[in-house]
Amino acid sequence: MSNSNWSRRSLFRAAAGMAAAGTLAACGGNNGRGGGSGSGVGLTQYFHAYGEQGTEQAIKKYAKAYDKANVTTQWITSADFESKLFATLLTKNAPDLFEFHPQIQLIRSGQVADLTDIITPVKDDFNPADIKSHTVDGKIYGVRMIDDPQFFFYRKSMLEKAKVDVPTTLDELAEAAAKLATGKVKGLYMGNDLHNVIDTMIWSAGADHLTEKNEIAYHTPGVIEGLKKMRKLFTSGDLLLGAPTESWDPSSLNQGLCAIQFCGMWAMPGIQAALGDDWGVFPFPKTIDSGKQSVYNGGWSMFVNAKGENVEAAKEYVKWLWIDQKKYQEEWATNFGFHIPPRTSLAQTATKLKSGNAAEGVRLFNEFGHFDNIGWTQAMRTALEDVFANSVRKDMDPEAALDKADTAVDRELKKLFG
Amino acid sequence: MSTTETRDLARPAPAKAAPAKPRRGLRGSPTFNFWLFTGPFLIGLAIFVYAPILWSLWLSFFEARFTVTPDKFVGFENYTYMLTNDDFVGSLGTFTAFAAFIVPTTWALSLSLALLVNRLRFMRAFFRSVFFLPTACSYVAASLIWKMSIFSGVRFGMMNTVLGWFGVENIAWLADPNPPWYWLVIVTARLWLQSGFYMILFLAALQNIPGELYEAAAIDGAKPGWQTFRYITLPQLRATSTAVILLLLIAAYQAFDEFYNLLSKTTWGRPPLVELYYKALGESQDYGSGSAGAVILTVLICAVTLLQGKFMGFGRGEDSK
């Protein structure tokens, strides 16, 4: 009897002890920290999941090589990245550093730290447009890691067979799509929602998102005409719609689902492997006669969470990796997908970008490129995405769709700039 | 002699009370036991349900952009913004259209499945499991299968392959809103996911109908089939039907996963929760407006549920039937 009683109590005590230990362990929780090889402080960094093989391992390799902090990486599914990042930034589990695009609301809400002191010594070696797009009131808030020009990729043999020249206007692009569309192959793919070509269509219409004084600049007759042309293209039946992968993935072109696809320079190695030399690139064509071809110079930058517990340690890591370690920067830019290094010295010596279509991509970047406007926020982007959804995909009057966007963008501008 | 009197007379003498064991601390206390069992759940409920609701209510009166600890009080400004926002108001219309179709369809399908499975004489457990299993599937996983495999817009999508055999051109089920094929995708996904669960509820209710009712009806000349279903089965399922419709309506209000995953970045087919996510939370981080929209939606759900319950007699006593 007594043994049994003792046994039950022991069991209870053991269970209680384990529960308490579990609770304490849970307090440490899965906050993503720890696990690195360095000593001292623990840092967490967020990256969106890049599509190119080897990228995740590379980022973790760089983190492991840093010996002044334990740097842990969270590799987040691309579609969830922005939502997770923004929501987590409001909590104590926010990452110490994260990649994103320059946007003023991050600065106004005090979410990103001033990195001027670590960039200033090498400022002249960065692409001036990259520095400008990260600067507010003379302070620089992010370090550009890669520049990603985005344009059209096309199958040379398909265009030759259909006797189609590389289009230089939006009308020619529509005609090319019609001629290239066959029973099994669609002429053109710009993504299922067409959102990736919004910016380039606006620039190719000779307009811009905002003026220098941060007023609306996209609501022009040229953009309205462009939207009407895009609607015609959308309903032509020559456009690939409902593809399994979005336009950032070159699979639709590689698998022969389309003859022309909008994508980014990062896809070049993958396309080369799939199609050999049977491909070329061209910028987004002129939307209207008075417009100009354009290329979106996207990319990713590294920011430090200003509200984090280890701001200085995070800044040191950013400086170490994205300013001092030029070997890693070149590897990151050219060993997986192709990206243009934002450091001029690296961009000039990157041998993989000096020939063939990669060199052509660099030329388009330099000649037709447009960089991010730091005042153009995520909410404003959504407003223009709604314009495309409403007027191009759903047949709403473009003028009315733009009016509606104006209301949303004005509300944002008022809150940000007064 | 009344039954009561009989009971009084027949009341047995109280058994000799067993000697009371000494109580071991609080273990014998009903109050302690109550809190022991309900406490953890109440704490969880307070922390994870009531506190966020109250916090959301508080946020709805503040300018809360990129922060959940705001300091700028704006009164009812967020409510005015949401109630005058075409997209938010339009999302209520989307919900109405969705609910008007999905609620009766799911009700009818789950009842049909229950009737079918209830009559099976062999492999009953197998078929019950087959119909119930989709309930265990994640809405996100199902949405991705629907989007990328069954209703993919390219030639190797399952539906397009089948249509191709009949010479029909590929259909962009989700990319093009004209015609609105996306409703077919959404509704079939939800029917597949939900019907099994409600089938189980109906099955339980069917098995509670006394067999004597059918026997009596048969003696009175009722024909088996539609007649007994119409005049016996259906009325006996009234309470379950009411509960099922109520649950379906609330589930329709809370629809998010399949809409968000199947129709990302559209301006159509946005039920209220998706609209709130895009307009106020998500990438825009406007927690003030988002909270105001959530409060409006909560009030609306409560009102509709109460009205529906009253209309359909939910919770009405036996005597009022």
Side-chain angles (χ1 to χ4, degrees), chain A residues 81-405:
Chain A
F81 181 72
E82 287 162 10
S83 308
K84 178 162 184 181
L85 172 66
F86 284 138
T88 318
L89 281 176
L90 300 173
T91 70
K92 285 188 175 177
N93 282 330
D96 297 290
L97 44 148
F98 57 90
E99 63 165 3
F100 202 62
H101 316 289
Q103 293 197 352
I104 199 166
Q105 86 272 356
L106 290 169
I107 298 157
R108 290 287 159 84
S109 55
Q111 286 177 324
V112 292
D114 176 9
L115 304 183
T116 314
D117 55 337
I118 62 170
I119 299 173
T120 301
V122 289
K123 187 178 163 185
D124 293 340
D125 190 35
F126 271 89
N127 185 323
D130 276 329
I131 293 292
K132 188 186 171 194
S133 66
H134 290 71
T135 305
V136 174
D137 298 331
K139 293 177 181 173
I140 307 166
Y141 285 90
V143 181
R144 195 65 150 180
M145 300 183 296
I146 41 173
D147 281 320
D148 287 330
Q150 295 169 33
F151 28 62
F152 284 107
F153 292 74
Y154 67 97
R155 292 282 294 272
K156 283 180 179 174
S157 58
M158 287 186 180
L159 265 68
E160 280 165 14
K161 192 179 171 189
K163 294 178 181 164
V164 171
D165 291 328
V166 172
T168 56
T169 67
L170 192 50
D171 292 326
E172 286 175 9
L173 182 68
E175 285 167 23
K179 286 181 185 171
L180 291 163
T182 62
K184 291 189 173 179
V185 181
K186 291 286 184 182
L188 176 64
Y189 183 49
M190 299 193 285
N192 291 318
D193 52 26
L194 314 182
H195 289 171
N196 286 346
V197 297
I198 294 173
D199 294 332
T200 45
M201 196 218 77
I202 288 169
W203 290 317
S204 287
D208 207 338
H209 299 88
L210 298 172
T211 64
E212 286 288 325
K213 292 179 180 176
N214 290 313
E215 293 161 342
I216 288 171
Y218 57 79
H219 195 151
T220 67
V223 170
I224 292 171
E225 197 180 329
L227 288 170
K228 288 177 180 169
K229 288 179 182 178
M230 291 295 284
R231 169 70 187 165
K232 203 173 163 189
L233 187 54
F234 183 78
T235 54
S236 65
D238 306 322
L239 215 54
L240 175 62
L241 296 171
T245 54
E246 273 306 327
S247 66
W248 56 264
D249 184 320
S251 298
S252 293
L253 185 76
N254 291 351
Q255 293 171 1
L257 291 174
C258 62
I260 303 174
Q261 177 180 341
F262 192 81
C263 197
M265 193 160 149
W266 58 82
M268 283 185 173
I271 294 174
Q272 182 73 33
L275 306 179
D277 291 328
D278 184 22
W279 62 284
V281 292
F282 65 90
F284 193 94
K286 286 194 292 185
T287 305
I288 53 173
D289 291 341
S290 59
K292 188 189 171 189
Q293 291 164 296
S294 69
V295 165
Y296 171 52
N297 289 346
W300 291 90
S301 314
M302 187 51 72
F303 296 91
V304 169
N305 173 13
K307 294 177 181 173
E309 290 173 5
N310 304 302
V311 175
E312 287 309 314
K315 282 174 71 173
E316 272 183 44
Y317 177 67
V318 171
K319 180 180 179 299
W320 175 81
L321 180 54
W322 300 112
I323 290 176
D324 298 338
Q325 303 301 314
K326 293 178 88 172
K327 190 182 163 192
Y328 285 159
Q329 291 160 38
E330 183 173 353
E331 181 186 80
W332 179 241
T334 58
N335 267 29
F336 312 102
F338 280 174
H339 313 264
I340 298 175
R343 302 285 292 272
T344 313
S345 55
L346 280 176
Q348 285 170 348
T349 56
T351 49
K352 290 180 181 174
L353 305 181
K354 291 207 171 298
S355 59
N357 284 316
E360 176 65 2
V362 175
R363 185 186 74 79
L364 297 180
F365 169 84
N366 290 324
E367 193 173 340
F368 301 108
H370 292 260
F371 288 77
D372 282 315
N373 180 341
I374 198 164
W376 187 250
T377 66
Q378 207 67 26
M380 297 180 200
R381 283 184 178 278
T382 304
L384 275 196
E385 286 171 359
D386 286 355
V387 169
F388 255 61
N390 286 330
S391 63
V392 177
R393 296 160 70 195
K394 207 184 168 191
D395 201 23
M396 184 181 184
D397 174 36
E399 183 75 58
L402 285 169
D403 284 343
K404 195 175 172 190

Side-chain angles (χ1 to χ4, degrees), chain A residues 8-9 79-80 82-83 86-87 90 105-106 109 111 183-186 192-193 195 231 234 240-245 255-257 307 378-379 382 385-386 389-390 393-395 404 411-412 415-416, chain B residues 24 27 63 65-68 77-78 81 86-87 147-148 151-156 169-178 260 264-268 270 277-279 282-287 289:
Chain A
R8 269 208 310 271
R9 282 182 187 172
D80 300 333
E82 287 162 10
S83 308
F86 284 138
L90 300 173
Q105 86 272 356
L106 290 169
S109 55
Q111 286 177 324
K184 291 189 173 179
V185 181
K186 291 286 184 182
N192 291 318
D193 52 26
H195 289 171
R231 169 70 187 165
F234 183 78
L240 175 62
L241 296 171
T245 54
Q255 293 171 1
L257 291 174
K307 294 177 181 173
Q378 207 67 26
T382 304
E385 286 171 359
D386 286 355
N390 286 330
R393 296 160 70 195
K394 207 184 168 191
D395 201 23
K404 195 175 172 190
R411 186 171 181 260
E412 282 295 300
K415 285 181 188 290
L416 286 168
Chain B
R24 292 180 189 172
R27 263 190 280 175
E63 164 87 36
R65 289 167 59 79
F66 298 93
T67 179
V68 285
E77 192 183 305
N78 290 324
Y81 169 67
D86 291 349
D87 295 326
K147 182 180 185 173
M148 301 179 79
F151 290 99
S152 164
V154 292
R155 61 177 182 269
F156 41 77
E169 282 280 304
N170 289 344
I171 294 173
W173 302 95
L174 293 163
D176 189 351
N178 296 314
Y260 180 76
S264 57
K265 305 280 185 181
T266 62
T267 50
W268 52 87
R270 284 186 186 178
Y277 179 79
Y278 278 124
K279 274 283 173 248
E283 295 164 4
S284 301
Q285 296 283 291
D286 187 349
Y287 291 99
S289 302

Side-chain angles (χ1 to χ4, degrees), chain B residues 4-304:
Chain B
T4 315
E5 285 166 340
T6 311
R7 276 182 185 162
D8 281 343
L9 287 171
R11 185 179 292 166
K16 190 181 176 185
K21 288 181 181 174
R23 290 189 168 189
R24 292 180 189 172
L26 288 168
R27 263 190 280 175
S29 161
T31 312
F32 173 77
N33 287 334
F34 172 79
W35 286 112
L36 183 68
F37 282 99
T38 59
F41 298 102
L42 288 175
I43 291 169
L45 202 66
I47 293 174
F48 296 110
V49 178
Y50 295 123
I53 289 173
L54 291 174
W55 200 340
S56 180
L57 188 65
W58 180 72
L59 281 174
S60 69
F61 295 105
F62 285 82
E63 164 87 36
R65 289 167 59 79
F66 298 93
T67 179
V68 285
T69 51
D71 50 19
K72 189 181 171 190
F73 182 77
V74 293
F76 285 95
E77 192 183 305
N78 290 324
Y79 287 91
T80 312
Y81 169 67
M82 291 309 288
L83 286 170
T84 53
N85 187 301
D86 291 349
D87 295 326
F88 179 68
V89 177
S91 73
L92 297 174
T94 303
F95 153 75
T96 308
F98 176 59
F101 189 82
I102 199 73
V103 173
T105 315
T106 314
W107 177 87
L109 182 63
S110 47
L111 178 58
S112 307
L113 288 176
L115 290 168
L116 199 71
V117 170
N118 195 38
R119 286 183 166 238
L120 282 178
R121 292 186 184 278
F122 66 100
M123 293 181 78
R124 181 187 281 196
F126 171 77
F127 282 106
R128 281 181 191 179
S129 304
V130 163
F131 292 134
F132 183 72
L133 271 178
T135 306
C137 182
S138 142
Y139 273 58
V140 177
S143 302
L144 292 178
I145 292 168
W146 251 245
K147 182 180 185 173
M148 301 179 79
S149 179
I150 302 174
F151 290 99
S152 164
V154 292
R155 61 177 182 269
F156 41 77
M158 196 183 95
M159 287 297 285
N160 279 343
T161 303
V162 173
L163 291 174
W165 295 339
F166 302 97
V168 179
E169 282 280 304
N170 289 344
I171 294 173
W173 302 95
L174 293 163
D176 189 351
N178 296 314
W181 287 117
Y182 61 90
W183 277 122
L184 178 72
V185 186
I186 286 170
V187 165
T188 49
R190 184 161 270 237
L191 278 174
W192 184 76
L193 284 160
Q194 283 196 342
S195 298
F197 174 75
Y198 295 105
M199 175 199 78
I200 294 292
L201 298 188
F202 277 123
L203 205 55
L206 282 172
Q207 287 167 358
N208 273 339
I209 300 174
E212 293 86 347
L213 282 177
Y214 292 103
E215 288 165 15
I219 291 166
D220 288 344
K223 292 172 189 164
W226 172 247
Q227 213 168 33
T228 49
F229 174 75
R230 167 74 180 81
Y231 292 103
I232 298 174
T233 311
L234 211 52
Q236 288 292 317
L237 292 177
R238 182 179 167 175
T240 308
S241 286
T242 306
V244 164
I245 290 170
L246 203 69
L247 290 172
L248 281 170
L249 198 63
I250 293 170
Y253 257 121
Q254 294 176 336
F256 180 85
D257 291 339
E258 70 270 49
F259 284 88
Y260 180 76
N261 286 290
L262 290 169
L263 295 176
S264 57
K265 305 280 185 181
T266 62
T267 50
W268 52 87
R270 284 186 186 178
L273 286 192
V274 176
E275 187 57 38
L276 281 182
Y277 179 79
Y278 278 124
K279 274 283 173 248
L281 303 171
E283 295 164 4
S284 301
Q285 296 283 291
D286 187 349
Y287 291 99
S289 302
S291 297
V295 171
I296 294 167
L297 197 60
T298 307
V299 171
L300 206 60
I301 292 175
C302 288
V304 171

